[in-house]
Amino acid sequence: AWGNEEIEQLIVDIIDAQVNSKTPDGHKNYYLGTLVVFERPQQSSKQKVFEVIDGQQRFTTLSLLIIYLKNYFRSVVSDYDMSWYTVQNIEFESRPKSTETLELLLSGNFETYEHLRKDKLNPTIINGYNSIKEVMENKFNIFNYENQQSNISIQEFCDYLFKYVQIARVPVRDETDLNHYF
């Protein structure tokens, strides 16, 4: 549901936090808000699965941002390692088009399959990814390094994002009536 404005604001907030949190000892953590979740009982999997109750747009946008960064570093000659991000961390149980779109974006094969699978893709997810691409290209002036809008490099942005940007995961109890929670 987030558009260009919200996506740009999220990225700008992270850049501003990075620039303003620098101390002689490094950076301070930047808290991006909360993610209210319900832990689903799992039968066979050892990995915990959480259903997002509140914060889905923020979480989806951050997932798209990480996918964009992985694809960016894959496409340029860079020693920045994002090989750790191999499996997407978000799935939409009731919206398979959204999940498939994220999988294609993460695989780096999106352009190859876009024209073949257009009916199986979620245009909102694609628009979000393209918005992130546009904002990142503008803020970090990816195609014109002499006119960079940010005082930090895209690699420094990633280091800060992955080390200092925090989201507080707030689990709700099984018996919580979500209609009353909000």
Side-chain angles (χ1 to χ4, degrees):
W2 278 15
N4 292 355
E5 197 173 299
E6 293 88 357
I7 289 170
E8 181 171 10
Q9 189 61 58
L10 177 75
I11 293 170
V12 168
D13 287 348
I14 294 169
I15 292 170
D16 288 348
Q18 180 175 5
V19 170
N20 295 326
S21 75
K22 189 141 178 91
T23 67
D25 300 327
H27 287 281
K28 296 182 213 170
N29 286 342
Y30 175 60
Y31 294 94
L32 201 55
T34 59
L35 194 62
V36 180
V37 298
F38 171 75
E39 185 176 346
R40 286 191 161 179
Q42 293 297 304
Q43 308 295 342
S44 60
S45 175
K46 293 180 182 180
Q47 186 178 16
K48 292 183 178 185
V49 175
F50 297 94
E51 184 174 330
V52 177
I53 306 299
D54 187 42
Q56 183 175 343
Q57 289 88 354
R58 184 181 312 114
F59 189 56
T60 302
T61 301
L62 287 170
S63 297
L64 284 170
L65 175 60
I66 295 169
I67 290 169
Y68 166 78
L69 292 168
K70 181 170 178 95
N71 288 337
Y72 169 76
F73 288 116
R74 184 186 295 150
S75 70
V76 298
V77 177
S78 173
D79 59 355
Y80 196 84
D81 182 24
M82 287 198 58
S83 61
W84 54 268
Y85 192 69
T86 57
V87 178
Q88 69 183 18
N89 58 352
I90 188 169
E91 181 178 306
F92 300 93
E93 184 178 60
S94 62
R95 294 183 295 180
K97 284 183 179 183
S98 297
T99 301
E100 185 166 355
T101 305
L102 286 168
E103 288 171 358
L104 281 173
L105 287 168
L106 179 59
S107 73
N109 295 322
F110 179 73
E111 286 79 16
T112 305
Y113 294 107
E114 182 178 19
H115 66 283
L116 299 173
R117 300 176 127 175
K118 199 139 196 119
D119 62 321
K120 293 186 177 187
L121 301 177
N122 181 318
T124 305
I125 298 285
I126 295 167
N127 290 341
Y129 183 84
N130 288 334
S131 291
I132 288 169
K133 182 178 179 182
E134 183 179 317
V135 170
M136 294 300 287
E137 287 173 358
N138 288 335
K139 294 298 174 195
F140 294 100
N141 237 334
I142 288 172
F143 297 113
N144 182 1
Y145 294 103
E146 295 174 10
N147 192 18
Q148 186 173 341
Q149 289 184 8
S150 173
N151 293 330
I152 57 174
S153 71
I154 195 167
Q155 291 88 347
E156 291 169 321
F157 172 81
C158 290
D159 289 340
Y160 182 77
L161 175 67
F162 299 135
K163 187 172 183 182
Y164 295 103
V165 175
Q166 308 281 317
I167 295 179
R169 183 176 59 203
V170 179
V172 295
R173 296 180 187 199
D174 291 349
E175 66 275 0
T176 303
D177 181 351
L178 296 177
N179 293 320
H180 288 96
Y181 184 81
F182 295 101

